[in-house]
Amino acid sequence: SGLSWEPGSRAVEQVHLRCTEGSLEWMYPARALRVVLEPNLASAQHTTVCIKPASDFQGASIYVERAGQLHLVVSEAEGAQPRHVSCFSAHTPQRVALFLQASPQRDISRRTASFQYELLSNQSTAGPDFKKMALVEAMCRPCDNMELLMAICSSDFVVKGSIQSVSHDSENHMSQVDVRVQKVYRQKNRIFQQEEGSGEWRGPIQTLLQCKVKKGGGDFLFTGNEHFGEAWLGCAPRFKDFMLVYQAARERGANPCEF
């Protein structure tokens, strides 16, 4: 909180965040805050940083430090766009510095500048566009057998279910698949939840509009990863097809993990 600082001080508060993803909430922003993203994983080459401001983001602007220069990433005016995600390449993979500059204000009314961040290491995510980040998961093509087997080991979520509906958002170039879930094998956070009235498990999965997802009958195995609290589609074979692949791999001792 900016209220905890000495009134006469001109010092910039320093914050070091050691995780590859997380969030920061700065209440009553005053003067400036320098946030250093410095993950403990020394071996990881994080090539891209993505920032998503909260829908009620206000009171500050976010800059990224590059070679002693500050480049605007999120302005206070843009902070009210809840789906707006800014991605930029990290020039020094082990250390990225953000600079939060508080906006001038006459009163001490409550403002909160909060955002989520993710450090990504996949080369294909580099660039200023959030939609490229999603391409890591939404490849718009069927996964091969090895990719399927690896997906159940490494995905943030693995669920068996059917497609209830598909909706398209042409403005943001995204589609949403609403899934009726039969079984949750794994999920990182509680995206798939049980409805109180019906007792059914449901959840939304995001993908790119260009993947042209359509509603299909039958059961699927949905896998993928989470970004900023949303599930993004990875491999999604028909469940019976996946089981044939898995059983064959298991008989050969070629399955990378147990399902």
Side-chain angles (χ1 to χ4, degrees), residues 4-255:
S4 62
W5 300 353
E6 292 293 329
S9 172
R10 304 295 296 172
V12 174
E13 190 80 10
Q14 301 261 8
V15 176
H16 291 258
L17 301 180
R18 302 289 185 182
C19 300
T20 54
E21 61 181 83
S23 60
L24 182 138
E25 184 178 74
W26 189 23
M27 295 179 292
Y28 301 101
R31 299 190 299 282
L33 188 69
R34 187 168 183 262
V35 180
V36 181
L37 306 179
E38 206 170 25
N40 282 331
L41 302 171
S43 61
Q45 294 292 309
H46 297 103
T47 58
T48 303
V49 181
C50 291
I51 292 173
K52 182 178 183 179
S55 57
D56 59 351
F57 182 97
Q58 57 179 330
S61 294
I62 304 176
Y63 299 81
V64 61
E65 287 184 14
R66 282 212 184 102
Q69 301 267 316
L70 293 178
H71 300 271
L72 183 65
V73 178
V74 177
S75 70
E76 184 176 11
E78 292 174 350
Q81 303 174 16
R83 296 200 75 124
H84 181 76
V85 174
S86 301
C87 296
F88 50 89
S89 58
H91 285 232
T92 51
Q94 270 78 41
R95 187 183 174 98
V96 176
L98 304 174
F99 192 83
L100 278 70
Q101 176 71 53
S103 306
Q105 59 191 65
R106 293 181 179 178
D107 57 17
I108 202 167
S109 61
R110 170 151 179 169
R111 293 173 174 83
T112 303
S114 59
F115 64 90
Q116 295 173 280
Y117 74 91
E118 287 192 16
L119 303 180
L120 302 168
S121 56
N122 194 300
Q123 292 290 341
S124 66
T125 64
D129 198 342
F130 173 50
K131 296 168 194 68
K132 291 179 183 173
M133 179 172 125
L135 283 170
V136 182
E137 277 70 55
M139 294 177 285
C140 299
R141 61 171 176 80
C143 297
D144 63 31
N145 289 354
M146 198 60 215
E147 286 171 333
L148 287 182
L149 294 169
M150 286 304 298
I152 61 165
C153 309
S154 59
S155 295
D156 288 341
F157 65 89
V158 181
V159 299
K160 177 187 178 182
S162 57
I163 299 175
Q164 187 178 4
S165 64
V166 179
S167 56
H168 303 289
D169 179 355
S170 55
E171 185 180 344
N172 290 303
H173 307 286
M174 295 194 298
S175 298
Q176 179 171 300
V177 182
D178 290 305
V179 176
R180 182 185 288 116
V181 178
Q182 294 176 29
K183 183 163 185 177
V184 177
Y185 295 97
R186 177 168 71 252
Q187 63 172 328
K188 186 176 177 183
N189 295 305
R190 291 182 52 79
I191 287 175
F192 303 96
Q193 296 194 29
Q194 193 172 22
E195 292 186 343
E196 288 186 11
S198 63
E200 291 185 331
W201 284 75
R202 299 177 190 272
I205 301 176
Q206 314 296 326
T207 188
L208 297 181
L209 188 66
Q210 68 198 50
C211 294
K212 296 186 171 77
V213 175
K214 297 177 182 176
K215 182 179 179 181
D219 296 332
F220 295 84
L221 186 71
F222 297 99
T223 70
N225 289 320
E226 292 184 24
H227 294 300
F228 300 107
E230 294 181 330
W232 282 85
L233 186 63
C235 300
R238 289 193 176 276
F239 190 78
K240 60 182 182 182
D241 295 338
F242 167 75
M243 287 308 297
L244 290 173
V245 171
Y246 178 75
Q247 295 293 359
R250 193 174 186 190
E251 287 170 12
R252 299 193 313 272
N255 54 313

